Amino acid sequence: MNTAGILAEDARRREARAAAEGGYDPVEGRGCCGPRELVDTPVEGLPRAFVPRAMTADPSYGSVRHDTAGWRRLRCRHDFEYWCAACVRIKHKTLGHDVPFVLNAPQRRVAAMLEADRRAGRPMRMIMLKARQWGGSTLVQMYMAWIQSCVRRNWHSLICAHVKDTAASIRGMYTKMLAAYPSELWDGDEPPRFRPFERSINVREIAGRGCRVTIGSAENQEAVRGSDYSMAHLSETAFWPATPRNSPADFIRAVCGAIALIPDSLIVMESTANGVGSYFHSEWLRCKAGDGDKHAVFVAWHEIEIYRLQPPDPEGLAASMNAYERMLWDAGLCLDQIYWYRRKRAEYADAAQMMAEFPTTDTEAFLNTGRGVFAPEAVERLRADCTVEPRRGETDGHRFRDDSLGGLRMWRDAEEGARYVAAVDIGGRSSASDWSVIAVMRRARLPGERHEVVAQWRGHTDHDLLVRHAENIARHYNRALLIIESNTLETEAGGDPNLFVLSRLAERYGNLYRREGFDTATGRRTERIGFHTNRATKALVVAELIAAVRDGSYTERDPEACNELLTYEQLPNGAYAAKCGCHDDIVMTRALALHALHAAPLCHGASIPVPPPVRW
């Protein structure tokens, strides 16, 4: 499209946008969610309004048709958007003073989803990836406040954040709302206010409604367990700490499991992005794919009205858009949004920082974490071939037995004539230790084909049992080349028993990866089982994996492998490691397998590569 065409299309888009935004009026009911009907009202200055059909179907409707206060209270009970405008005041982000709470476009989208479930009698469940400055937390908290103030009595809620101060700040919205609540619209037995509940500093009760509001934090999980909740607002869950005793996943399951699957029950998990690999990220991907119980909601920066800036030279902007700006234009944005993005982008040293603060997509929000080794775009291309539902079972080395509790996940069974590598990264024995992983990769058969991950075992077990698992899996896959990262077995205290494990393996299974070294005392070359990782050899195999991910030379099947790739970092000293709190066990099996497929290992203690005694 030429410059003149862009300017003409921009004018059309802005006109359509203005018509859509100008048509919203929660008092008149125009542009509001849900089925509505136009009715006469007893309210002065509002002769007619579009009200929810549930309101006119309410048995009380006939008795309040000529009672202004009664009619408005009944409407508040059925019309969340009207209640927000009539009963809630919030601080305006740019004007600085309190104004009626009129939902913006993203808030209306979220409210419509919640209301669709509520009207249908479905439990309300949502996971929300937040952008800046659109009021997601405010919307969720006021929706919960509306249910407790107008819809339900004795309906208790929990506000839990990563730190208690954040939860208290969220509840502060509630306190402010009650303090300014119009008395003529209050539907309670006492004036609207919070009062203490049994001397608890964390629990408040809404006077006249019997509804309790509890605040808590992920730092003190025991304080909020075991209570009676019907609604939960779980805030900034991507930042909840994981410890050996408490994990975000376990805590959230405990809280959410106690909330019954009944009408008007609600769970909203929301957070800004904090990289990948966390419970929040995994749950987001699961729900986004339609496999979870929650609606996945992401609000892009351009949905927020304040992120617009009129360009002084629209024609010059249209003629000078870069590739990313052109992508924004093709996605339907107006020039004032693109110009705002250009000006804001100039504040950041690189595009990744901008994407982290003002993401256009959920992928941008999660992936731009700073010191990543693997290009996010390349990892997302790998993710396209991943599946979370492989076969599960065990193998005795000859046949695969399906078992839903089995530790071996199989995406593709052994094929006649195919050649495989089984790579082993050894972790700890306890559940608090690093994982042990056995990954099987099929070698590409023809030029232009890709190697493919076909199976994986992951768990915690004794090292001799782990080696036995690896042997059985390698036998099943056509006597695969078995490459074991042997550092743990070689350096563990009392290393002789562990080295004995490898020597016994060599007696039973011959197709083992062996590295060659040099004994300075005898002047002879030596041969040892396994791959020894040091700073030089690790840099070598990671570099090979970086190239494989970049070039797409292998097919990944496990989405958790992609998560690990995205949290793998290069530290300031040049070393490689997983991001704090994350794992790299799966990453290392891919690196080892590809290294065995593609290159000779470095001679232990030497500086030149030597041909490995690989036996296919």
Side-chain angles (χ1 to χ4, degrees):
M1 185 181 295
N2 58 30
T3 300
I6 290 175
L7 295 177
E9 172 63 15
D10 181 62
R12 188 199 66 77
R13 291 180 183 180
R14 295 179 68 171
E15 183 178 352
R17 186 180 70 188
E21 294 175 353
Y24 180 68
D25 187 331
V27 176
E28 294 184 7
R30 288 188 289 109
C32 295
C33 68
R36 292 177 176 259
E37 57 184 278
L38 184 63
V39 301
D40 296 329
T41 88
V43 180
E44 184 178 355
L46 185 67
R48 310 194 78 190
F50 292 93
V51 302
R53 290 178 183 171
M55 175 182 174
T56 59
D58 192 297
S60 303
Y61 183 71
S63 63
V64 300
R65 293 183 66 179
H66 303 290
D67 175 5
T68 298
W71 188 92
R72 295 182 69 200
R73 280 196 299 271
L74 183 64
R75 187 176 179 187
C76 285
R77 192 181 307 161
H78 292 281
D79 194 341
F80 169 65
E81 292 170 271
Y82 173 77
W83 176 84
C84 287
C87 301
V88 183
R89 297 184 66 83
I90 63 170
K91 183 180 178 181
H92 195 281
K93 292 187 179 297
T94 58
L95 300 178
H97 57 74
D98 288 348
V99 296
F101 182 29
V102 176
L103 305 190
N104 60 35
Q107 289 169 335
R108 295 198 296 272
R109 178 158 68 90
V110 173
M113 297 172 71
L114 294 172
E115 276 292 270
D117 283 344
R118 190 188 69 85
R119 289 193 307 270
R122 295 188 294 264
M124 293 171 282
R125 303 292 186 265
M126 180 175 288
I127 181 169
M128 188 160 56
L129 175 58
K130 298 195 304 181
R132 293 181 178 274
Q133 302 298 320
W134 72 272
S137 294
T138 301
L139 184 280
V140 172
Q141 196 52 53
M142 289 303 100
Y143 191 80
M144 292 170 61
W146 171 64
I147 290 177
Q148 291 182 305
S149 299
C150 300
V151 179
R152 289 277 193 165
R153 292 175 182 261
N154 303 308
W155 204 249
H156 310 314
S157 66
L158 168 69
I159 306 167
C160 190
H162 58 313
V163 294
K164 190 173 179 181
D165 286 349
T166 300
S169 176
I170 294 173
R171 189 174 67 180
M173 305 177 197
Y174 212 142
T175 304
K176 179 178 180 179
M177 181 274 296
L178 290 174
Y181 205 105
S183 58
E184 69 276 11
L185 299 182
W186 178 246
D187 190 12
D189 304 325
E190 301 177 34
R193 61 184 178 88
F194 267 144
R195 64 184 177 193
F197 179 77
E198 296 184 352
R199 299 182 180 180
S200 171
I201 61 174
N202 296 327
V203 185
R204 297 288 185 270
E205 186 177 71
I206 304 172
R209 298 290 300 179
C211 298
R212 297 195 294 270
V213 179
T214 301
I215 63 171
S217 76
E219 297 174 322
N220 185 15
Q221 299 181 7
E222 299 304 320
V224 299
R225 291 181 186 269
S227 297
D228 174 21
Y229 304 122
S230 299
M231 300 188 295
H233 179 186
L234 310 177
S235 181
E236 296 297 357
T237 48
F239 296 86
W240 288 17
T243 67
R245 294 186 57 188
N246 294 302
S247 72
D250 292 340
F251 181 38
I252 290 172
R253 277 194 291 267
V255 170
C256 296
I259 298 178
L261 289 169
I262 55 177
D264 294 343
S265 67
L266 178 144
I267 299 171
V268 175
M269 184 188 308
E270 51 90 351
S271 184
T272 47
N274 184 34
V276 301
S278 66
Y279 171 78
F280 179 76
H281 177 243
S282 299
E283 187 68 2
W284 169 265
L285 292 177
R286 190 173 74 92
C287 294
K288 180 183 176 183
D291 299 322
D293 63 328
K294 305 174 188 69
H295 297 294
V297 177
F298 168 69
V299 175
W301 65 267
H302 54 78
E303 293 186 61
I304 305 167
E305 292 96 328
I306 62 174
Y307 296 151
R308 299 170 188 171
L309 188 62
Q310 179 60 35
D313 181 12
E315 185 175 355
L317 175 63
S320 63
M321 286 190 289
N322 59 32
Y324 191 88
E325 293 167 345
R326 175 68 69 167
M327 181 274 291
L328 296 177
W329 171 260
D330 291 341
L333 273 64
C334 298
L335 290 179
D336 58 351
Q337 296 168 305
I338 295 174
Y339 184 64
W340 177 90
Y341 193 88
R342 176 181 289 188
R343 290 292 301 272
K344 196 69 179 178
R345 166 68 182 84
E347 298 178 10
Y348 296 89
D350 57 56
Q353 294 176 2
M354 178 68 180
M355 291 176 182
E357 293 296 317
F358 299 97
T360 301
T361 66
D362 62 308
T363 301
E364 283 186 2
F366 280 113
L367 296 191
N368 293 282
T369 55
R371 296 187 302 206
V373 171
F374 298 94
E377 299 82 1
V379 175
E380 290 310 298
R381 288 195 294 270
L382 282 183
R383 195 187 296 277
D385 292 314
C386 293
T387 174
V388 295
E389 296 184 354
R391 293 173 63 188
R392 297 188 73 100
E394 298 289 353
T395 180
D396 59 4
H398 302 285
R399 62 183 60 85
F400 181 83
R401 176 174 52 85
D402 287 295
D403 183 346
S404 61
L405 300 179
L408 179 61
R409 301 162 68 209
M410 177 185 286
W411 288 275
R412 194 187 297 273
D413 205 344
E415 299 176 12
E416 185 177 355
R419 293 191 288 181
Y420 300 90
V421 167
V424 184
D425 186 74
I426 298 178
R429 296 178 173 89
S430 71
S431 59
S433 305
D434 290 335
W435 296 94
S436 291
V437 179
I438 306 166
V440 182
M441 188 174 290
R442 186 185 66 177
R443 186 177 190 179
R445 300 180 181 184
L446 299 172
E449 287 187 349
R450 295 185 293 177
H451 309 305
E452 179 183 359
V453 175
V454 296
Q456 180 173 284
W457 185 97
R458 188 185 191 212
H460 298 100
T461 188
D462 290 340
H463 293 156
D464 60 327
L465 297 178
L466 175 68
V467 170
R468 176 67 74 174
H469 278 305
E471 178 188 348
N472 287 339
I473 292 170
R475 287 185 184 279
H476 181 88
Y477 279 94
N478 301 349
R479 293 186 58 80
L481 174 66
L482 183 55
I483 176 171
I484 299 176
E485 197 275 332
S486 58
N487 289 45
T488 301
L489 299 180
E490 293 175 359
T491 60
E492 222 172 31
D496 286 344
N498 293 299
L499 295 178
F500 176 71
V501 169
L502 290 179
S503 64
R504 289 295 301 270
L505 172 64
E507 294 173 3
R508 301 189 304 265
Y509 191 80
N511 196 17
L512 295 172
Y513 178 98
R514 303 167 189 267
R515 68 185 187 275
E516 293 190 20
F518 186 78
D519 188 334
T520 56
T522 63
R524 297 179 180 178
R525 290 187 178 275
T526 61
E527 185 180 273
R528 303 191 69 174
I529 300 170
F531 183 90
H532 181 84
T533 303
N534 54 44
R535 184 159 183 169
T537 59
K538 188 171 186 178
L540 172 68
V541 297
V542 169
E544 293 170 339
L545 181 57
I546 291 172
V549 172
R550 180 197 65 218
D551 299 337
S553 61
Y554 88 99
T555 299
E556 184 57 68
R557 296 300 185 194
D558 182 15
E560 189 57 35
C562 296
N563 295 341
E564 285 195 6
L565 289 169
L566 292 170
T567 55
Y568 200 65
E569 299 180 334
Q570 186 166 27
L571 305 180
N573 65 0
Y576 294 104
K579 181 180 177 181
C580 182
C582 299
H583 295 279
D584 63 0
D585 319 288
I586 300 176
V587 166
M588 290 310 300
T589 61
R590 275 46 174 183
L592 291 175
L594 289 167
H595 177 70
L597 287 167
H598 290 158
L602 279 176
C603 176
H604 184 60
S607 59
I608 58 173
V610 296
V614 175
R615 304 178 183 92
W616 287 100

